[in-house]
Amino acid sequence: QHGGFSVGADHRYVVQSRTSLDEVGEIVRYDLQSNELQILTSYSQQLLGEYPPAQWERIDILRGGYTIEAWLLKPQDFDESRQYPVVLDIHGGPNGHYGYAFTSLHELLATHGFLLVYSNPRGSSSYGREFTQQVTEDWGGEDYLDLMAVLDKVLERAYADSTRTGISGYSYGGYMTAWTIGQTDRFKAAVCGAPCFDLESMYGTSDISHVFGELQWGGPPHVSKEWYERHSPSTYAHRCTTPTLIIHGEADERCPIGQGEQMFIALRKAGCDVEFARYPGGAHGFRRGGHPEHRRDCWQRTLEWFQRYLG
């Protein structure tokens, strides 16, 4: 996956950053005349030589007329004769997307003995306008079914332990995590980051939802009140049983801290084993660009939560 776009004065070379499932943080140069790509740096070579990244493969499923792409990461010392716990991780957006990029959480879990599954359900970007728009006014609908179908496909494999499954996600991925544990008790652990938990309260408190929400959720709450209630994880939280870790930055303006607070109380009242990790001054992107000690703590808690409940 290449990012950025810097063109030389002679318009011959393009320089970009590069990440893949085998490397991270490199610089590449593309020659527009010869169509040749050259990797200029090897910053990650020494570290990843000492700490090899996960093994991986791509998986496709066909559902509802769409091809849904997914990836499966495995421990570096993967042994097909063993059984491994499985974690499904869900991207944000909802119009974000995952792909062939090195992701801290994915690598952390996969290199500590988990099978890590991630996917681009309908609504994900990079597959064209029609596919991206399929999630509009359907949060928790076909997108949820796509994700469950991907997980089911992985669990057909003998080395994937269907009795030890976890789920995680952040932002819209947090929404989908909160939604899922209110729909099923199949997961034995969840890590829910910056969730969109109650869409009506989020409409009036998020920095974008008074515009974004009307585009995604069919209008403001007074126009689409039944839709907001039917598609909010808060409506179903009373029946949750999944042990859940909630992670949230206190300065998050995109998915305000109140969303995590509402979810924490709802799960406590439901009798769930739940913990709430709050990060002072943490903005929506603190897991990537916040204080290093906060980022480390976030990843450490996530790993330990899944180790506690999935082994």
Side-chain angles (χ1 to χ4, degrees), residues 86-108:
V86 182
V87 175
L88 171 68
D89 184 60
I90 307 165
H91 69 61
N95 305 129
H97 68 273
Y98 278 147
Y100 297 95
F102 194 99
T103 303
S104 300
L105 176 63
H106 298 169
E107 294 292 336
L108 175 70

Side-chain angles (χ1 to χ4, degrees), residues 73-85:
L73 272 58
K74 306 173 184 177
Q76 185 57 230
D77 59 352
F78 174 73
D79 180 352
E80 194 167 306
S81 67
R82 293 177 52 192
Q83 275 202 318
Y84 294 87

Side-chain angles (χ1 to χ4, degrees), residues 9 11 22 34 67-68 88 101 106 120 122 147 181 200 210 213 223 241 251 263 304:
H11 294 175
D22 302 304
S34 66
T67 297
I68 307 299
L88 171 68
H106 298 169
N120 289 333
R122 68 195 67 202
L147 290 163
I181 63 175
E200 183 168 354
H210 59 287
V223 171
T241 61
M263 183 174 180
E304 291 176 353

